[in-house]
Structure formats: C-alpha cells, structure tokens
Amino acid sequence: MNIRNLFIIISFLVLVSLSCKGQQILKPEELTISEGFKIPIGFYNAKPTFSWKLAISKEVKSQSAYQIVAATSVEQLQTNPDLWDSQKQKSNQSTWVSYQGKALQSRQKVYWQVRYWNQNDKVSNWSEVSNFELGLLNNSDWQAKWIGLPTNDEKVKGSQDNIIHRPQYLRKGFELSVDVISARLYITAKGVFDVAINGKNVSNDVMPPGWTPYKKRIETLTYDVTNLMLSGKNTIGVELASGWYSGRLGWMKSFWNDTESPKILCQLELTMKDGSKKVIVSDESWKGTTSGPIRVSEIYDGEIYDANYELPNWTTNTFNDKNWKNVQAFTIENSIQLEPKRHHTVKPKIALETKEITKKDGAVIFDLKQNMVGVPLVKVPVKKGDTLRVRFAEMLSPDGSFYTENYRTAVSTDYYIAARNETIEWQPKFTFHGFRYVELSGFDTTKVPSKNWVTGIVQYSDFEQNGTFITSNEKLNQLQSNIVWGLRGNFFDVPTDCPQRDERLGWTGDAQVFGPTSLFNADVYQFWASWLQSVRESQYKNGGIPFVVPDVLNNGKVSSGWGDVSVIIPWKVYFRTGDKRILEENFEMMKAWVKHHQESSKKYISHMNSFADWLQPYPENGDNKGDTSQDLIGTAFFAHSAKLTAKTAEVLGKYEEQAIYEKLYKKVAEAFDNQFFDKNGKVKDVPETQTSYLLALAFDLLPKEKRVEAKANLLKKIAAADNHLRTGFLGTPLLSEVLDEFGEVDLMYKLLFNETYPSWFYSINQGATTIWERWNSYSKKEGFNPQKMNSLNHYAYGAIGEWMYERIGGIAPLEAGYKKIIIAPEPKAPLKSASAAYNTPYGKVVSSWEMEKNTFKLETTIPPNTTAAIIVPGDTKQDLLFDGKKIKSNSNVKLIRKENHSFELLVQPGRYSLQSKMN
Ligand code: RAM
C-alpha cells in the first residue's frame, strides 16, 4: 500500500469515527432526586428516588433502558460504584426511580450518574456526576441540647395582652488548634432564628426552620459553613424569636400557645486538616441576652427595632459577653422527631420598587402597585431619638387613608428607633406583612421623601416558576398574574389562607381547591409533599383532619370539603408528577379520613359539619356558608374521597382495597342520588344551587340518564343568575370542569369573561392585583365589604387557573406525570391567541395558538420519552396542514380521527406546527 492510499484510508476512518461521534446520543440532563432536589445537602431521605431528562435531539424519542450508578466518591463512581450499580434496566422510566443500593447513613455524601438507551437500544453518554448529602436523620445523631433564656418569666405583654418573648441573642466562642477543611452546621429552633459565624450571615433564609406540628416534628437545617471558619478563635451567634412557635396564632385567645420560651438546637461538626473531628454544640456553656436591638417581634403585630440596643460585632471574637446570662439547657425529647427540612425555606425572591409616593397628614405613602407578602426594605434618613413608624395596607380607602380594618387585630406595624442621625437601611426580620402600600412617619422631615426609600422584599418558599400562560386578552393576563401573586403570597412555608390578618393559617379547604393550580405555576411538589406530612401528623385518632394544619386551633373539629385535602391533594400531585410515593405515603391517611366520613354518616348520608360552599355570593340565608346543603356537600365529598382512594389502591396494586372503596363510592353515590335528586335529575328537599349540581356531576354521583337532566337543570340555574356564577370555595373549581365535560365551553368562556359581579374580572375591574377572599371584597362604587373577614390576598378563587392552562392554553396530562400528554386548546372569542408552557417531569411542553381570520395555527412541543394526543379544532372537510403541507401519517405523527369539527393526532416527541380552517 502506498503512502497516498494509506492516507486516504486513515482520513476515511477519522471521518467515520467523527460522524459516529456526531451521532452519539446526548447525555441525560437535569438530574434530580426525590421531589425535584438538585444537589441538596442536609437531605432528608435515605431512600431517595432518581429522575433525569432526556436531551432533545432527533435521535431520541424515548428511553428503552437506563443504568444508574452511585458511589461514595467520584473516583469510585467511575471505577467501581461501591453503593449501587443498577445495571442496565429495561424500562422507559426516567422519573422517580427508587434507590436500591447499600443503606445510607446520616451525613453520608453520595455521588451518582445515569445513562440511558434510546428506542433503538443506542446508549447515551454518562450524565454529569451529581451528588447529595444526607442530614441528621435521627434524634440520636444530636449531641446538642435545646438552649435559651426563660423569656416567659419576663412577662412582657403584646398588643392583645398576649405574652411576648423578647428576641434572644445567643452566642458561643471557641478555639480551634487545627484548620478546618469541612464544616457543617446543623441547626433548628423552637421559634425562628438567624445565625451568623464570625460576623458573617450563614444564609438568607427567612424565618427558618418554618412551621410544622412542633409537638411531633421540628425540621432541621444543614448549612455548609466551611468558608466561614477561621484559624484559631471562632464565634457563632444566633438570633432567636418566637415566630409560629410561641405566639398568638389564631384570632382568639383560646387558640394561643404563647407561654413557652423559644430555644435553639445547633451542632457544628468540623472535619480538621489532620483528619480529626470536632463538634461544637448548643449547651450550658452558651451565653445569651434579651437586651438586643430587636425588642419585639410578632408575626401578626410586627417588629420593633431599637438601634440604641445594638450589639456591634456580637457574632465576632472581639465581643465581650461577660454581662450576658448563662442559658438554660434541656435534653432533646424523643417524642419530637428532628428531621431535615424536606422543602425549600422561605427566601427573599423579588424586590419591588415603589411606583408612586403621596403625602398624607404628615406621613408619606409608598405605592408598590402590587399586593405582596414579605417585608419592606427602608432606606430612610432619621434623626437620633426619632421613632420611624412603618404601617401597611392592601388598599387605600376612597379618601386616600389606610384601609386596615381587614387586618382585624393584627397591628402589622414596624418601628425603628434611631440612635444616630443617619440614613438607615433596615428591614424587619421575624415578621411578615401582606401589603401594597407602605406608610412612613417619624423620619427626618428636613429631607424630601423619594421613591427609593421603600422597596418591597417579596418572600415565599423558594420554588421556581414552572409554567407560563399568556393570551391576547389583558384582563385574562391580569387574572393569571393575580393567581401567581396569590401563590407567592400564600406559600409562606405552609399553604395559608391569607397572609395579612390575624389568621395566616394552613386552612385545608383553601389548599384543597388551589393545590392543582399551584402545581402548574410552580415546582411545588416538595412544598405539598412536606405539608402533607404535617397533615398526616395532625390527623386525629378518629381519622378526622383538622381545619388548619399545623393545627393551632386544636379543637377536634372537621369540615367536609376541607378535610378531603388529605385525599384530593395526594391524588392531584400524583397525577401531575407520576410519582407513586406520594400515594404510598398518604394511603393510610386517606383510608382513615374516608372511615371518618363513614362514621359521620347514617345510611351513607353524611352529617359531617361543613364550612360548605364558603362565601357563595348572594346567599339567601345571609350566611357565609352559602345555601348548598351541608349534608349534600358532605355526602358528595364522602363519595369522591372513597373513589379517589379506590383509584389510589389501584395504582398501588392493592386490588382488594380498590374493590372495597369502589363499592363504597357506588353505595354513597346511590344514597346521594336517592336522597337529594328526584327522578328528573333535579335537586329535591334541599336548596337547589349551582354547587349542588356541580358536585353531583363533577364527582359522578348520578346514574347516566340523570346526568343529562341534571346538566340541563344546572344550565337553567346559571341562566337564572343572568349567566353568572353563584359558587363559593367548593363549587367554583368545579364549574369549569363540569361545563367543559358537558360540552359547554362557550358558557364557561362567558362566565370567565363576565365583567360584572360575581366574576373573576369584577375584582380586576376594581383594581385587584391578587385574588380576593370574596367576589365582592371591594367595589369602586360601594367601597369595602363591611365584613372584617375580607382578605385581599386569598388564593381560593384562583383555582380557575387549572382550567385556563389545560383548556385555554391546552396542556393537560392524559396519563399520570404527563407520560402521555393531551394538547387540546379551546380557542374562542374574545381570545385571538393563547400560549402556555409547562415543565413536565420529562421536559418542557409548549402549546401556543392563534386565530387569524378563520385560520387556526398551533405550535406545540412534546418532550422526549412521552407521547401526545393533539386535538386540533377545524373544518375536517378541509386539509389540516403540518409544517405548511397537507398532513400525512408517518412514524412521528398519526392522524387517528377526523370528526366533530376536530382532528385528532397521536404524535411522538418533537415540535409541530399545525394549521386548520375553522369553516
Ligand atoms: C376563614 C378563611 C378561610 C376559610 C375558613 C373557613 O378563616 O376565609 O379561607 O377556609 O374561614
């Protein structure tokens, strides 16, 4: 062979290998564990699940197999995975794959990687190496003690004669003889805390550890503080306030639990350069004082900061604590489970600038033009001795004054007492407010107020947006914005009803109706999974679920439609994520709740107490509970929860139980029909309301023939209300579901686009920037609803979001977890276009449509490892165009039906551009 031929052969081989390389399947991306954690430290679960996404490429439609490896180090991972090698598993599962390796321990760090095979059995590259580190999983991992000062003894009184625990400042200095190479701080509080080491903040977490049923479980935080450690002397300092632990939660004295002095628990674990270990714990050796600058801090009432009490450098080595007291120390109790926090803490997420300022009676009002939740950051000139007063309001009264009646007894006012002439930069730490307006008084009046004196720091549980929804209609976009702000405002570590008045509690009914909508807007799986643990822990022995979780009302009472959160949310979360674990974790709770329903019934008719169709408009009886019969509501939810429990049993492969609950559901449905409906599908013996029909139809409680008649009766009721809704908390989320199922999308559009009371746009027309508690919380004409229970940030009616995304945007799961997706938008006037995007567990789905004269155009993206049914509305006598050409079935697209003014396609992952003629 001559040199030239050799050269040609070598060039050929190089080219072949290069082109093969080009075809290499891209590595899996976005590795997460359990409910979507990225690279957590202090992780809560020693038996995690693994998820990954397939990269978008022409070569990858689906996964046919995967391999996961896990090891104690990166080196081991690549040579000999010492914790787990799943081997090649033939499976299309790329989400929630259970770890099945060696048992993992507290503090353990695990490195892991995954690769997959595509539909043609071609293997991908290995993913990047990911990792997680476990927290302290058992109480026995703690050597530390609960410590604090006996603040209860100080007998300081708050605004309602409640006991106030002055915030405590706790510190400890220690010396290290060897340098640190790794440091972990494990910490929590009976109360809320902020921690610093050597003068530096450990994190920007807001009011950790958050709120759980403290008598059963307190969450712990883990921080990597390696970079904060010094050679030689070190100091740790913790600020501690009562938070949710010992305050006046609940609007009546009988609910308060304000006598227990707050405490902290912390354990700093150090690995030294020479390999040795050292542990610094909270114990009797710590010192504390209540003579620090935060004089008072209360969730409802606000914070008082007195700069005269400042303790410069108190978290550094230079501070002298000889005048501080010795703390009290208490051994940890076995009855309270200490568990790593299982969802993200509250964080400062958005900074809102002031848009407008006005002067009023010597004060200045700052308008952020958005109702929000969090704290103000004030940068204000003050003079020594001044008391700066910071007040809040969600809205102004017509005369420009502050509307604060709806805060009820929550004083919601912060104070800053100035020690020097200066421009301060300050924000309260252990309280939060719900507001759009901030009023300042008591500043240096020689200075001219300016907008930058106040910034709104929006705080909420640290999740990211997961879905987007935008249309050609401004008011609908405003409604979407109001829904998202309702979510931001009421996901403050737990789901709350409202964020501003003397309540802010984890109302179960509100969570039940809004949960599904929240799952579209944000990655809140962790948030719900975590709160459901609190719900389980709060369930009464008789299976009852309290009104609020954590159960600060502690009155043993239940309500139908509220307690059903225990069944509905696990099911909805499962259906959106496809993760069976949420069902496994909650199955026992569901069964116990259904049993409680059963015990509250006679002959399958419920007599359970209920808040009923809470805040229904125009109640004939004038009651907040509306007109729909409580027994009817209770029986409907009894049947529905039994049915969802049956479905859960089926998913979990518990077929005997499935049969039991199916039978129960049928029995209850039959009793419901006999008791509340006549033979013409009309409500009998109890008030005939929109909600009674909605419950019967949504929960499938009538025989088939009667459904049609019941629907006709529902339509009559709606027509009699001048085509307006008459639904409260329970009925509203079912309106869209039922009208849609029965082919009444036009009517649903009508209700959604109604401008007059009661409707969603009514509040928008009155200037709402969040969802209100009442359909008529305020009107430009009549002012505020005279009832004091009048929150302007209450997410329940935002439950319409679910339908907006699924049917206006057009994205819904057809199978659990969006393994099979349905893209079926309903384009109707007055909309000209709508666009939705959602990050499913498999990747991003897009559905974006527009109407141009009579041409309908749809752009959609379907992620790898899923399939989708696409329903395109249009005149089926004319052609459906795909990428501008007449559609032809191929391996990616199959036209499976053409009827009823629509085309139905079955498609593989990819991007599709479709076009039809409407007539
Ligand atoms: C009020 C709130 C809350 C509701 C209960 C029944 O406290 O409006 O949202 O769930 O009542």
Side-chain angles (χ1 to χ4, degrees):
M1 196 188 297
N2 66 26
I3 298 236
R4 191 166 164 264
N5 282 351
L6 189 66
F7 179 75
I8 290 171
I9 290 169
I10 290 174
S11 310
F12 177 74
L13 288 176
V14 168
L15 270 176
V16 168
S17 82
L18 273 180
S19 67
C20 282
K21 229 182 182 164
Q23 278 179 16
Q24 261 293 4
I25 297 183
L26 297 174
K27 61 191 176 208
E29 299 169 341
E30 295 184 49
L31 276 59
T32 53
I33 60 163
S34 297
E35 301 93 350
F37 294 85
K38 289 190 179 122
I39 302 186
I41 70 162
F43 189 58
Y44 79 99
N45 193 341
K47 291 181 180 158
T49 59
F50 297 108
S51 302
W52 56 93
K53 287 183 181 141
L54 279 51
I56 297 178
S57 84
K58 278 207 172 114
E59 277 215 280
V60 179
K61 294 291 171 209
S62 57
Q63 173 187 294
S64 59
Y66 68 80
Q67 183 180 13
I68 300 170
V69 286
T72 48
S73 69
V74 178
E75 299 74 51
Q76 292 277 10
L77 189 69
Q78 269 136 22
T79 51
N80 173 31
D82 54 347
L83 290 172
W84 187 40
D85 183 346
S86 75
Q87 307 292 349
K88 182 176 177 181
Q89 294 295 319
K90 284 205 168 157
S91 163
N92 65 4
Q93 195 183 349
S94 56
T95 55
W96 329 118
V97 176
S98 292
Y99 172 73
Q100 286 170 36
K102 285 190 190 142
L104 304 177
Q105 315 294 336
S106 293
R107 307 177 182 85
Q108 190 162 355
K109 188 158 186 170
V110 177
Y111 297 87
W112 71 284
Q113 238 177 338
V114 59
R115 63 177 174 169
Y116 68 93
W117 284 258
N118 76 354
Q119 65 283 359
N120 301 322
D121 204 26
K122 227 171 157 191
V123 70
S124 77
N125 284 325
W126 281 102
S127 69
E128 306 274 316
V129 175
S130 189
N131 69 70
F132 61 93
E133 182 185 305
L134 293 170
L136 301 187
L137 303 176
N138 314 299
N139 283 21
S140 55
D141 292 319
W142 290 87
Q143 304 159 35
K145 288 180 180 167
W146 289 111
I147 60 163
L149 297 170
T151 47
N152 193 33
D153 299 349
E154 294 187 20
K155 299 277 176 270
V156 182
K157 287 294 172 81
S159 76
Q160 308 302 307
D161 215 20
N162 51 306
I163 293 169
I164 286 279
H165 298 271
R166 284 212 190 281
Q168 305 177 37
Y169 295 77
L170 304 166
R171 76 188 293 281
K172 156 103 184 164
F174 55 93
E175 195 150 356
L176 303 172
S177 50
V178 188
D179 281 355
V180 169
I181 53 161
S182 166
R184 290 289 179 274
L185 177 65
Y186 302 98
I187 182 166
T188 190
K190 292 180 173 178
V192 290
F193 70 88
D194 187 31
V195 53
I197 293 180
N198 296 322
K200 300 221 170 78
N201 274 340
V202 165
S203 83
N204 63 352
D205 288 347
V206 175
M207 297 174 70
W211 193 13
T212 49
Y214 295 130
K215 295 252 153 17
K216 301 234 165 104
R217 176 175 54 105
I218 298 181
E219 292 186 314
T220 62
L221 279 300
T222 305
Y223 299 109
D224 179 354
V225 292
T226 313
N227 293 336
L228 301 184
M229 303 310 299
L230 302 176
S231 308
K233 278 192 176 166
N234 286 269
T235 298
I236 177 167
V238 185
E239 269 172 286
L240 170 67
S242 46
W244 298 274
Y245 184 75
S246 44
R248 62 176 196 96
L249 283 177
W251 56 96
M252 277 187 322
K253 204 177 176 79
S254 58
F255 300 136
W256 303 345
N257 175 24
D258 53 351
T259 55
E260 277 186 53
S261 307
K263 294 167 188 69
I264 60 153
L265 180 73
C266 92
Q267 189 156 307
L268 176 61
E269 299 195 4
L270 308 170
T271 307
M272 320 305 281
K273 221 173 179 178
D274 62 3
S276 64
K277 306 258 181 193
K278 196 169 167 70
V279 186
I280 308 294
V281 296
S282 51
D283 60 15
E284 297 78 356
S285 67
W286 287 52
K287 296 288 239 12
T289 183
T290 53
S291 294
I294 304 181
R295 305 303 304 141
V296 169
S297 204
E298 214 285 328
I299 289 181
Y300 294 157
D301 293 333
E303 196 157 291
I304 301 174
Y305 185 95
D306 187 341
N308 296 297
Y309 284 80
E310 276 171 358
L311 303 162
N313 303 323
W314 71 277
T315 63
T316 68
N317 300 326
T318 56
F319 188 82
N320 187 342
D321 61 18
K322 71 172 188 317
N323 295 328
W324 287 28
K325 295 187 185 124
N326 291 325
V327 297
Q328 295 184 344
F330 306 85
T331 318
I332 58 170
E333 26 324 59
N334 289 331
S335 54
I336 302 174
Q337 215 44 53
L338 298 167
E339 289 180 18
K341 192 165 181 70
R342 55 176 298 179
H343 75 110
H344 290 306
T345 51
V346 174
K347 292 263 191 195
K349 295 287 291 180
I350 301 172
L352 285 184
E353 284 172 13
T354 297
K355 295 281 163 28
E356 207 175 283
I357 51 174
T358 46
K359 289 195 181 151
K360 174 104 184 133
D361 307 330
V364 184
I365 294 175
F366 296 74
D367 182 359
L368 304 171
K369 303 258 172 178
Q370 173 62 56
N371 197 3
M372 59 154 277
V373 176
V375 290
L377 168 63
V378 293
K379 295 185 186 167
V380 183
V382 288
K383 289 204 296 226
K384 183 175 161 55
D386 279 350
T387 298
L388 177 76
R389 186 176 75 162
V390 192
R391 290 207 309 146
F392 303 89
E394 291 186 287
M395 256 178 127
L396 300 183
S397 298
D399 69 352
S401 64
F402 259 39
Y403 168 65
T404 52
E405 279 78 18
N406 71 336
Y407 288 172
R408 300 195 304 209
T409 69
V411 178
S412 195
T413 304
D414 300 326
Y415 294 91
Y416 183 101
I417 299 160
R420 292 167 291 275
N421 297 341
E422 63 179 340
T423 295
I424 56 161
E425 192 170 325
W426 173 74
Q427 65 181 67
K429 194 176 265 188
F430 298 123
T431 189
F432 61 94
H433 307 278
F435 61 99
R436 166 176 159 172
Y437 298 92
V438 179
E439 183 204 73
L440 295 187
S441 56
F443 50 84
D444 179 352
T445 47
T446 63
K447 302 278 166 31
V448 183
S450 96
K451 286 191 220 164
N452 63 12
W453 282 14
V454 172
T455 307
I457 305 298
V458 182
Q459 301 168 326
Y460 53 91
S461 285
D462 189 17
F463 46 69
E464 296 305 324
Q465 199 173 344
N466 213 29
T468 54
F469 175 82
I470 185 152
T471 70
S472 55
N473 184 287
E474 248 175 62
K475 283 190 190 166
L476 193 59
N477 295 344
Q478 183 65 48
L479 175 59
Q480 164 66 5
S481 167
N482 293 4
I483 291 171
V484 170
W485 278 100
L487 188 152
R488 290 180 181 142
N490 286 295
F491 277 43
F492 202 99
D493 203 60
V494 300
T496 58
D497 61 328
C498 59
Q500 73 296 68
R501 68 177 177 225
D502 52 356
E503 197 153 356
R504 316 187 199 186
L505 304 179
W507 278 96
T508 49
D510 309 47
Q512 183 266 107
V513 301
F514 186 68
T517 293
S518 73
L519 286 159
F520 176 89
N521 282 304
D523 58 345
V524 284
Y525 180 17
Q526 303 170 7
F527 181 87
W528 286 115
S530 170
W531 184 69
L532 281 169
Q533 179 169 351
S534 297
V535 180
R536 292 197 294 280
E537 289 160 348
S538 307
Q539 185 165 35
Y540 301 131
K541 283 213 172 69
N542 65 6
I545 299 285
F547 294 164
V548 297
V549 173
D551 184 18
V552 289
L553 307 184
N554 192 22
N555 56 13
K557 292 186 188 163
V558 299
S559 162
S560 62
W562 269 245
D564 296 275
V565 76
S566 56
V567 179
I568 295 172
I569 291 295
W571 178 259
K572 284 281 188 175
V573 171
Y574 161 70
F575 206 69
R576 303 257 150 200
T577 60
D579 189 1
K580 290 182 189 171
R581 284 226 177 153
I582 193 82
L583 298 180
E584 280 161 12
E585 280 182 358
N586 292 296
F587 189 51
E588 291 306 315
M589 168 168 71
M590 295 170 154
K591 289 196 302 187
W593 170 248
V594 172
K595 189 161 166 270
H596 191 67
H597 260 303
Q598 198 153 8
E599 281 162 6
S600 313
S601 313
K602 267 193 199 135
K603 296 191 180 152
Y604 302 107
I605 297 298
S606 169
H607 301 294
M608 190 184 274
N609 166 62
S610 188
F611 288 107
D613 200 16
W614 190 243
L615 306 184
Q616 170 219 305
Y618 297 116
E620 274 179 25
N621 55 15
D623 194 333
N624 279 341
K625 292 188 173 184
D627 298 318
T628 307
S629 145
Q630 287 190 42
D631 285 358
L632 184 149
I633 290 174
T635 311
F637 274 95
F638 178 15
H640 188 53
S641 280
K643 187 179 177 184
L644 294 183
T645 305
K647 284 187 172 199
T648 300
E650 183 183 11
V651 174
L652 299 179
K654 298 173 187 278
Y655 302 116
E656 270 170 36
E657 285 174 299
Q658 180 192 352
I660 292 171
Y661 287 98
E662 254 166 26
K663 201 167 146 200
L664 180 60
Y665 150 64
K666 285 194 181 130
K667 285 258 182 229
V668 183
E670 206 180 294
F672 176 92
D673 175 32
N674 290 335
Q675 179 81 14
F676 301 112
F677 279 74
D678 71 12
K679 58 183 186 330
N680 302 317
K682 196 168 158 50
V683 172
K684 68 171 188 196
D685 301 336
V686 290
E688 191 198 9
T689 58
Q690 291 184 7
T691 295
S692 28
Y693 288 110
L694 292 168
L695 288 164
L697 294 169
F699 296 170
D700 201 2
L701 307 176
L702 302 176
K704 242 192 183 156
E705 339 62 84
K706 265 198 208 177
R707 281 169 70 78
V708 182
E709 292 165 319
K711 172 204 157 184
N713 289 324
L714 168 66
L715 295 189
K716 273 190 215 151
K717 282 301 291 179
I718 297 177
D722 189 23
N723 283 328
H724 276 67
L725 57 82
R726 290 283 184 277
T727 50
F729 277 28
L730 296 183
T732 302
L734 307 178
L735 260 175
S736 45
E737 187 180 325
V738 168
L739 291 179
D740 193 333
E741 190 188 334
F742 284 88
E744 298 294 337
V745 176
D746 284 326
L747 178 58
M748 190 54 226
Y749 259 74
K750 165 87 184 72
L751 296 182
L752 180 57
F753 284 85
N754 268 342
E755 303 266 347
T756 46
Y757 173 73
S759 70
W760 287 274
F761 282 10
Y762 178 72
S763 68
I764 289 169
N765 291 338
Q766 314 309 314
T769 59
T770 34
I771 304 285
W772 294 343
E773 181 168 24
R774 296 169 183 273
W775 292 113
N776 59 349
S777 285
Y778 170 81
S779 89
K780 284 183 181 159
K781 228 162 134 199
E782 286 161 26
F784 294 100
N785 193 307
Q787 302 231 30
K788 276 189 162 185
M789 194 188 78
N790 191 30
S791 150
L792 301 176
N793 195 354
H794 223 82
Y795 54 46
Y797 291 140
I800 185 63
E802 185 181 28
W803 185 77
M804 285 161 41
Y805 319 132
E806 293 196 343
R807 298 294 276 148
I808 295 179
I811 303 173
L814 205 56
E815 269 176 25
Y818 296 83
K819 183 80 179 130
K820 191 162 181 191
I821 299 160
I822 177 159
I823 303 288
E826 283 280 4
K828 302 255 177 226
L831 291 183
K832 294 198 183 77
S833 67
S835 180
Y838 179 67
N839 288 321
T840 73
Y842 299 94
K844 192 171 180 175
V845 185
V846 179
S847 167
S848 179
W849 61 262
E850 62 177 18
M851 283 289 259
E852 232 180 65
K853 291 197 183 130
N854 69 340
T855 303
F856 173 76
K857 291 183 187 166
L858 174 69
E859 304 275 336
T860 175
T861 307
I862 308 300
N865 212 18
T866 67
T867 54
I870 305 180
I871 316 254
V872 186
D875 178 359
T876 49
K877 287 189 212 81
Q878 303 190 53
D879 288 337
L880 174 67
L881 301 186
F882 170 41
D883 281 341
K885 291 186 212 110
K886 190 176 160 182
I887 195 153
K888 274 197 212 120
S889 288
N890 60 33
S891 59
N892 284 335
V893 186
K894 285 202 169 52
L895 181 61
I896 54 170
R897 209 173 344 173
K898 260 173 51 157
E899 60 191 28
N900 293 336
H901 306 288
S902 64
F903 303 85
E904 185 172 343
L905 312 171
L906 199 61
V907 305
Q908 297 293 316
R911 280 169 155 225
Y912 300 92
S913 170
L914 299 154
Q915 198 171 310
S916 67
K917 291 282 179 209
M918 295 305 277
N919 49 47

